[in-house]
Amino acid sequence: ADAAGMVLSSSILLPPLGMSESDEGYHLSLLPHIKHVQEHREANAQRLASKARSSQGPLSIWIGRLFPSLTPDADRIRMYAKFSLVYAKCGDWDSAEQRLREVRDFLYRYLGPEHKRSRQVTLFLSAIYWNQGHSIKAAELQTQVVKTCEEHLGVAHPDTLKAMAELGRTRWQQGQYTAARRLQEKVLAEMTFVHVGAFVTS
């Protein structure tokens, strides 16, 4: 099951790659295979965990809980990121959220929230929440990304403006039209300043 999952994962390209129309169709065709693999992986994991519990004494179980494995499984996390993309494209928001939360937690732990990949995954997760109708959760994540970008990249950085635009869209969905307008006006002003300034100096 793990080998099959890795084979499927290796055939999926993460954005900005793999965004053509043919890629879209291919991703949709992968959904039943991904679900089948995931069902077997989860069933196997449950069986292995059950055997491990039955073969260990109380002391071993206690030590295992006290000192969990600290070795990151980067291949599994990369696979979850790609699977979450397919789930999202197919409208399976719950499965996409479940996998993507694990990816986000992993990146936060080993790369930090300010890393570009961490910010990208956090915005993707916020989009999943937005599509689920969980606008409060989406806004919380987007606000975190905006603050992180402002602190590490500055207000005028494209990543900061993208996060602001996403937050503005969420505020609009929440009916906070004034807040949404202010965010979008700020994005527009910064983008206009950058592009007009570049045009004038050139």
Side-chain angles (χ1 to χ4, degrees):
D2 280 343
M6 292 302 175
V7 170
L8 287 172
S9 173
S10 65
S11 72
I12 303 170
L13 299 176
L14 290 172
L17 302 175
M19 299 300 288
S20 67
E21 186 175 347
S22 61
D23 289 314
E24 294 285 335
Y26 176 65
H27 290 160
L28 294 177
S29 71
L30 288 181
L31 183 62
H33 304 289
I34 290 175
K35 285 189 172 182
H36 184 69
V37 165
Q38 284 297 98
E39 288 173 0
H40 282 281
R41 291 183 73 254
E42 291 169 2
N44 289 339
Q46 291 176 359
R47 283 195 292 268
L48 289 173
S50 178
K51 286 184 178 180
R53 286 193 298 269
S54 63
S55 62
Q56 291 180 342
L59 181 59
S60 298
I61 295 174
W62 181 81
I63 292 176
R65 290 175 179 173
L66 187 62
F67 301 103
S69 175
L70 298 179
T71 305
D73 188 351
D75 291 334
R76 178 175 59 86
I77 294 300
R78 189 177 298 109
M79 179 175 67
Y80 281 179
K82 294 182 176 184
F83 284 1
S84 66
L85 176 65
V86 174
Y87 283 132
K89 287 186 176 182
C90 295
D92 189 349
W93 307 117
D94 292 342
S95 296
E97 177 204 347
Q98 181 182 359
R99 298 297 168 220
L100 206 57
R101 277 193 285 106
E102 292 190 50
V103 176
R104 191 272 312 267
D105 293 345
F106 173 90
L107 293 176
Y108 271 39
R109 181 176 180 182
Y110 292 101
L111 297 180
E114 69 281 354
H115 194 278
K116 186 174 182 66
R117 289 181 183 176
S118 300
R119 292 185 277 106
Q120 289 173 334
V121 167
T122 302
L123 283 182
F124 186 20
L125 181 58
S126 76
I128 299 297
Y129 286 141
W130 193 91
N131 282 284
Q132 289 175 317
H134 302 322
S135 62
I136 294 177
K137 290 182 178 180
E140 288 176 352
L141 294 184
Q142 291 159 0
T143 300
Q144 290 173 12
V145 175
V146 169
K147 291 180 178 179
T148 300
C149 288
E150 287 179 338
E151 291 174 1
H152 295 274
L153 303 174
V155 177
H157 193 278
D159 290 357
T160 307
L161 300 179
K162 179 182 178 181
M164 281 186 183
E166 291 294 321
L167 179 57
R169 184 177 70 145
T170 301
R171 293 304 186 205
W172 175 84
Q173 184 195 40
Q174 293 175 320
Q176 300 182 29
Y177 303 121
T178 301
R181 187 192 69 219
R182 287 174 179 169
L183 284 165
Q184 298 295 354
E185 287 175 345
K186 190 172 184 179
V187 171
L188 179 61
E190 292 293 344
M191 292 182 67
T192 303
F193 176 79
V194 171
H195 289 290
V196 172
F199 176 76
V200 171
T201 55
S202 63

